[in-house]
Amino acid sequence: MTIRITGMNSGLDTEAIISELASARSVKVQKIQKDQTKLSWKIDAWKELNTKIYSLYSDVISDMRFDYAYTKKTTKVSDSDAVTVVTGGDAMNGVQSLKIKELAKTAYLTGAKIDATSGEKTLANLGVGAPGEEIRFKIKVGGEEKELKFNTYQNLNDVVEGIKELGLNAKFDEKAGRLYISSKESGKENGFELSPIDGDEKSKNALKALGLYYDPDDPLMENGKVEGQATMIYGQDSIIELNGAEYTSSTNTFEINGLTLSVHKKTGDDEISLTTELDTSGIYDVIKNFFTKYNELINEMDKLYNAESASKYEPLTKEEKDALSETEVEEWEKKIKESLLRRDGTLSSVSSALKEVMLQTHIPGREGINDGKDIYLSAFGIETLGYFKAKDNEKNAYHINGDPDDSDVKNYEDKLKKAIATDTDTVVEFFKELANNLYTTLEDKMARSDYSSPYTVYNDRQMALELKEYDSKVATEQKKLNDYIDRWYAKFSQMEVALSKINSQQSSISSLFG
């Protein structure tokens, strides 16, 4: 940074004078900087809007071009406490009968209470065996038999970790004084069995000392009720009977012919009825969701295009911001940002194209619908409210039941729901055509060009280049301004030198005359 000491001979406030002289030229630099800021804000506004346009294109319209978007079915069950059903689009309509014979279980061993308050106690201290002795157990996991080995100098935590390494859940609960072991998944094949080594009394006694011994031959599963024995629940598959055919699963979920059944309780020989049918409300929701998203987008586009002019507002300089409150700065900048796409030609082009598709899309009429005339949106009771009835920025929004305030439709029957229920194919055909037309239109608008990137409706590449060019414009004008200021400092410096010489000469002359 250059340090200048001026006005020592002239007494002039050189800094103030030069600052005033340069102020006119600095306005040009500020003008370029403000234009750059506005362009940056405009790019941000377009990015935000483009994201919403692309979302409508990819998340909503894209799927609506195909039959699967409208293949909605539902299944009613006579006992929702026993089973819940998720219905796929390929499920067959009709009534089916279900019996739930067994529920899937996860193999679970609850150890007997042992005299241990810490998992760090050695096995020898728990009476598992003599100090330093090796103890072995058998454990069968998923049908594969393995062997667990421990030294009595090890502790309960080591036992837990050893069991976990075999793919089971295990834990020692100090408060309960018990070991717990379970399979990670339900079902017979995912179960486990823990037993002593055949003929090894030490192994059996060690299991008893750890509270893990149970009698696998106990048909009544009374193990847990016998002091010192563990309770063992074996893994079990769920079993159902659907339309007389039996199905098994390691979980309580079955996927059968388009239905996903989640069973919750046994019904024995009692039958549950499952009634699968077309879900008209699901199709309605697909269409309603489209209009919700479309209306939100078109309303915003109209709002941006018809925004009030902010031609009297320019981005603030740092000095101007310092003179205002934070709220005043936000309000000032908000006015500018809201008007950035006002009367924008690209915005108008995209918006008009969408509106035209909505107005012109139709399919040939057929008997029983719309008196055989070509079918447009209005045939399903879907219309805009008209220019004078609609609220600001909602003039191009569509309402599924037409005008709810129109006295002629006080008892208005929902045409769309009726059409879905009585002629689903016509509804699907129309909205597939509408979606295809919208998709193609937006695809054309978002095509890559020399000025724009793929899936972008505005000239983002061109605007990015223009934004970058502003940097060189600012640098050029700033250099001109700095050179201008330097020239004035040079002139004032020369004046100061001249005055210094004059003052020096006057002092010399004065000294001659005493």
Side-chain angles (χ1 to χ4, degrees):
M1 180 179 178
T2 303
I3 299 176
R4 297 184 174 100
I5 301 176
T6 60
M8 294 189 66
N9 293 291
S10 65
L12 297 174
D13 187 349
T14 307
E15 293 281 349
I17 295 171
I18 295 177
S19 177
E20 190 66 28
L21 289 169
S23 62
R25 296 211 173 193
S26 65
V27 169
K28 191 170 184 179
V29 176
Q30 292 175 359
K31 177 65 170 65
I32 297 173
Q33 290 173 328
K34 290 180 177 183
D35 288 343
Q36 184 180 29
T37 298
K38 286 180 72 173
L39 179 58
S40 174
W41 289 348
K42 187 172 184 177
I43 291 173
D44 289 341
W46 261 122
K47 283 181 179 178
E48 183 177 349
L49 181 59
N50 194 83
T51 298
K52 295 176 182 178
I53 294 172
Y54 181 74
S55 177
L56 179 70
Y57 167 83
S58 62
D59 298 341
V60 181
I61 296 173
S62 179
D63 285 344
M64 288 181 66
R65 296 176 297 153
F66 304 104
D67 287 327
Y68 67 76
Y70 310 91
T71 310
K72 306 293 181 182
K73 294 189 176 183
T74 185
T75 299
K76 298 176 182 177
V77 299
S78 60
D79 186 351
S80 57
D81 291 333
V83 61
T84 54
V85 182
V86 176
T87 311
D90 59 344
M92 298 170 64
N93 290 351
V95 180
Q96 303 181 68
S97 62
L98 170 71
K99 295 179 182 178
I100 304 172
K101 299 294 188 180
E102 296 289 348
L103 295 178
K105 294 180 181 179
T106 300
Y108 201 103
L109 186 150
T110 302
K113 187 174 177 60
I114 58 177
D115 185 18
T117 56
S118 171
E120 297 177 356
K121 261 190 176 181
T122 66
L123 301 182
N125 290 338
L126 294 173
V128 173
E133 188 175 12
E134 183 180 76
I135 302 297
R136 298 181 302 148
F137 310 130
K138 284 195 306 183
I139 188 163
K140 185 185 288 186
V141 182
E144 182 181 357
E145 191 169 275
K146 301 180 181 181
E147 192 174 275
L148 280 169
K149 294 181 181 180
F150 298 100
N151 187 292
T152 55
Y153 285 137
Q154 291 180 278
N155 54 44
L156 285 176
N157 289 334
D158 294 320
V159 173
V160 167
E161 292 305 314
I163 294 172
K164 284 183 177 179
E165 289 176 3
L166 297 181
L168 298 172
N169 297 317
K171 180 184 178 182
F172 174 67
D173 187 329
E174 292 189 11
K175 290 184 178 179
R178 298 173 187 264
L179 280 162
Y180 297 90
I181 306 172
S182 72
S183 297
K184 290 191 174 181
E185 296 179 6
S186 61
K188 186 176 181 179
E189 289 188 359
N190 297 315
F192 70 92
E193 296 177 24
L194 181 63
S195 60
I197 301 297
D198 294 339
D200 188 341
E201 198 65 25
K202 290 180 182 179
S203 179
K204 184 175 181 179
N205 291 335
L207 280 177
K208 288 182 176 181
L210 291 171
L212 297 178
Y213 177 77
Y214 61 94
D215 183 359
D217 298 321
D218 179 5
L220 299 178
M221 287 305 298
E222 295 286 330
N223 291 295
K225 297 179 181 179
V226 178
E227 186 176 353
Q229 289 195 23
T231 301
M232 181 65 190
I233 297 175
Y234 293 100
Q236 176 179 292
D237 291 337
S238 57
I239 303 173
I240 66 169
E241 189 179 289
L242 183 64
N243 302 324
E246 189 172 276
Y247 299 85
T248 62
S249 172
S250 62
T251 69
N252 287 313
T253 300
F254 297 80
E255 293 184 6
I256 305 171
N257 197 24
L259 299 180
T260 301
L261 311 174
S262 297
V263 296
H264 310 302
K265 69 178 184 180
K266 294 194 293 184
T267 61
D269 291 328
D270 293 337
E271 290 188 349
I272 300 171
S273 63
L274 311 177
T275 306
T276 302
E277 57 191 8
L278 181 69
D279 182 11
T280 55
S281 63
I283 299 173
Y284 180 88
D285 288 343
V286 169
I287 297 171
K288 182 179 179 181
N289 176 65
F290 160 71
F291 280 105
T292 298
K293 300 297 183 183
Y294 174 84
N295 287 343
E296 288 174 356
L297 178 61
I298 211 70
N299 288 342
E300 181 170 356
M301 293 173 80
D302 287 347
K303 180 180 179 181
L304 293 170
Y305 185 78
N306 296 315
E308 293 184 6
S309 173
S311 57
K312 296 181 180 180
Y313 294 83
E314 292 291 336
L316 301 168
T317 63
K318 183 180 182 306
E319 292 75 15
E320 289 169 337
K321 287 182 179 180
D322 291 341
L324 300 174
S325 68
E326 186 175 330
T327 302
E328 289 172 328
V329 171
E330 289 178 359
E331 288 296 321
W332 184 281
E333 292 185 348
K334 182 181 177 183
K335 288 182 180 294
I336 300 173
K337 291 178 179 180
E338 287 178 344
S339 69
L340 290 171
L341 300 184
R342 170 182 160 82
R343 302 294 186 263
D344 187 283
T346 300
L347 176 58
S348 175
S349 174
V350 177
S351 175
S352 297
L354 293 177
K355 294 170 185 175
E356 186 175 352
V357 170
M358 298 294 283
L359 286 171
Q360 295 187 359
T361 294
H362 65 282
I363 59 174
R366 55 209 60 192
E367 187 177 349
I369 295 184
N370 204 37
D371 299 326
K373 300 175 183 177
D374 285 353
I375 298 171
Y376 291 82
L377 272 174
S378 57
F380 304 108
I382 302 171
E383 300 172 334
T384 60
L385 298 187
Y387 186 85
F388 295 103
K389 283 189 176 182
K391 298 177 182 178
D392 290 343
N393 301 315
E394 291 187 0
K395 299 185 184 302
N396 295 292
Y398 282 86
H399 294 259
I400 290 181
N401 275 340
D403 184 354
D405 297 324
D406 194 328
S407 58
D408 295 333
V409 290
K410 288 296 183 183
N411 297 314
Y412 196 92
E413 183 178 6
D414 194 322
K415 289 186 178 181
L416 177 59
K417 286 186 176 179
K418 182 179 179 181
I420 292 172
T422 59
D423 195 345
T424 309
D425 291 343
T426 297
V427 175
V428 171
E429 181 185 347
F430 177 86
F431 282 98
K432 280 171 58 180
E433 180 69 15
L434 178 64
N436 269 308
N437 292 343
L438 287 169
Y439 189 88
T440 301
T441 298
L442 286 176
E443 194 170 43
D444 291 341
K445 292 293 182 183
M446 293 190 292
R448 186 186 186 281
S449 71
D450 293 338
Y451 306 104
S452 62
S453 304
Y455 302 110
T456 309
V457 297
Y458 68 103
N459 295 336
D460 62 317
R461 297 173 65 188
Q462 180 183 358
M463 293 172 75
L465 183 62
E466 291 174 0
L467 187 66
K468 190 174 182 180
E469 288 174 349
Y470 271 114
D471 289 334
S472 59
K473 289 180 181 179
V474 170
T476 299
E477 290 302 321
Q478 187 64 56
K479 186 177 184 305
K480 289 180 181 179
L481 176 60
N482 292 340
D483 291 344
Y484 179 75
I485 292 172
D486 288 342
R487 286 198 300 273
W488 274 110
Y489 271 112
K491 289 179 181 180
F492 276 102
S493 179
Q494 291 171 0
M495 181 187 72
E496 294 292 338
V497 170
L499 288 174
S500 176
K501 289 180 179 179
I502 292 171
N503 290 336
S504 178
Q505 290 172 356
Q506 287 179 340
S507 296
S508 298
I509 294 171
S510 297
S511 65
L512 291 174
F513 292 97

